[in-house]
Amino acid sequence: MGAVDINARRQIEDLRARIIVLEGRGPVPLDLPPGGGFGRVLRAVAAEFGCPLEDLLGDRRTAEIALARHAAAALGQRVLGYSLPKLGRLLRRDHTSVLYGVRRIAALCAEDAGFAARMDGLAAAIRAAQQQEGRQQ
């Protein structure tokens, strides 16, 4: 798959997320431009966990989607330094729900070295993308 295909897919995912917002089914995206900030975290988590971006931003609460959403919150705090209230606004959740998710991910990382390595890999990939984008600007 070429770079154009990847960029087109990212733009489509961002548009889908924005449509969800406009229809009143999702959070107001404080920073979901193509490629930056929490949008990058959401795209990385959606790809890693195999769930659509709109499910991360939506109301579905299946175990798989909840785990991916919790991972996005944990990475948002770890990589971007976002506060729990800001993450709650981005994910359309209460900050205490975000706190539960962040703690759940920390517990899973402590129990399962494979899951911890997966989260470390995601964090490293997001940081690398941020650094690369910073060099291009």
Side-chain angles (χ1 to χ4, degrees), residues 3 10 15 20 37 40-42 44 50 62 66 68 84 102-103 109-110 130:
R10 286 179 182 159
L15 288 173
I20 289 170
R40 180 182 297 114
V41 171
L42 290 174
T62 64
L84 296 175
V102 169
R103 286 179 176 170
C109 287
Q130 283 178 313

Side-chain angles (χ1 to χ4, degrees), residues 45-68:
V45 168
E48 176 70 23
F49 285 83
C51 66
L53 182 63
E54 54 267 12
D55 284 347
L56 288 176
L57 298 173
D59 295 331
R60 294 185 61 204
R61 297 187 301 174
T62 64
E64 297 83 13
I65 293 169
L67 179 63

Side-chain angles (χ1 to χ4, degrees), residues 34-102:
F38 197 60
R40 180 182 297 114
V41 171
L42 290 174
R43 280 191 297 280
V45 168
E48 176 70 23
F49 285 83
C51 66
L53 182 63
E54 54 267 12
D55 284 347
L56 288 176
L57 298 173
D59 295 331
R60 294 185 61 204
R61 297 187 301 174
T62 64
E64 297 83 13
I65 293 169
L67 179 63
R69 193 178 292 127
H70 292 164
L75 288 166
Q77 185 180 51
R78 177 177 168 182
V79 176
L80 302 174
Y82 285 5
S83 67
L84 296 175
K86 182 171 185 172
L87 289 166
R89 286 190 303 273
L90 288 166
L91 292 168
R92 203 178 76 177
R93 301 289 186 278
D94 184 80
H95 77 279
T96 58
S97 298
V98 174
L99 175 62
Y100 170 80
V102 169

Side-chain angles (χ1 to χ4, degrees), residues 49 67 71 104-106 108-109 112-120:
F49 285 83
L67 179 63
R104 179 176 178 222
I105 294 298
L108 285 172
C109 287
D112 183 349
F115 187 79
R118 191 175 178 191
M119 293 297 292
D120 290 342

